[in-house]
Amino acid sequence: MTAPPASAVDIRRLTYADLPQVTAIERRAYATPWSLAMFVLELSKPSGVSLAAETGDGPERELVGYLVCSRYDTVWHIMNVAVDPDRRRHGIGTALLAGLLREVPSRDSQLTLEVRRSNAGAIALYERFGFRTAGVRRRYYQDNGEDAVIMWRTPATLRGSLDDIPGHG
């Protein structure tokens, strides 16, 4: 099956009713998937932003990706981004991140995430949105002990600096 172009992707708020499809994608996308309870917990947080990516029309609509972002004080932490493995590299992750940036209150917001050091495609995607590498969490991933790259998007990273990253410098 050929994935639709990004223009055919609709972004909306993720709901509890989406969780069966979300957990199915999660199991296909990750070696150590989140549990249903983890998704329920994140959706229950009123300050978070959780988004669904859908394609198709009418009864043919299909959830093909999602993003979960929690807010801690003034920092937004992107906790989970996944695209159905059969639909990757077709702009769905880009549409989800663009949707998140529309939901976050201001351009001056600080966003952070961790990503596998080996996930060059995701790192490149985040860099296109102004995220910059600011550190490493050693042996972060439990399945294989891989390091996580810590990335931030802040007013300073958008100017090419790491000056306003908490605990940096």
Side-chain angles (χ1 to χ4, degrees):
M1 172 182 251
T2 302
S7 61
V9 176
D10 294 318
I11 303 299
R12 62 168 175 77
R13 288 290 185 135
L14 195 65
T15 69
Y16 292 109
D18 296 320
L19 293 181
Q21 292 168 284
V22 165
T23 55
I25 292 171
E26 181 79 1
R27 284 192 304 271
R28 289 193 308 274
Y30 294 116
T32 52
W34 276 22
S35 67
L36 175 62
M38 293 169 79
F39 284 105
V40 170
L41 175 65
E42 290 302 322
L43 281 177
S44 72
K45 295 178 180 177
S47 64
V49 174
S50 296
L51 302 174
E54 286 186 321
T55 62
D57 293 313
E60 303 297 315
R61 295 206 55 76
E62 181 182 6
L63 193 139
V64 294
Y66 51 88
L67 179 149
V68 176
C69 185
S70 290
R71 192 174 115 211
Y72 299 98
D73 192 24
T74 60
V75 175
W76 295 85
H77 191 151
I78 299 174
M79 308 288 287
N80 191 330
V81 180
V83 173
D84 186 310
D86 295 335
R87 303 296 188 95
R88 290 182 179 156
R89 303 297 224 202
H90 293 280
I92 296 165
T94 297
L96 283 163
L97 282 169
L100 175 64
L101 293 178
R102 285 190 299 272
E103 296 280 335
V104 170
S106 85
R107 181 173 164 82
D108 292 338
S109 294
Q110 295 182 321
L111 293 93
T112 189
L113 58 87
E114 293 88 13
V115 60
R116 286 181 187 267
R117 183 177 284 210
S118 64
N119 194 343
I123 291 169
L125 171 65
Y126 298 133
E127 286 175 342
R128 286 197 309 272
F129 279 89
F131 284 84
R132 296 295 172 256
T133 298
V136 173
R137 293 196 200 286
R138 302 273 177 225
R139 301 190 55 77
Y140 182 78
Y141 292 97
Q142 294 177 353
D143 61 326
N144 65 358
E146 184 174 354
D147 294 345
V149 173
I150 305 165
M151 300 186 81
W152 284 85
R153 182 186 192 273
T154 67
T157 66
L158 295 173
R159 295 188 307 270
S161 165
L162 300 178
D163 290 345
D164 62 357
I165 294 174
H168 195 271

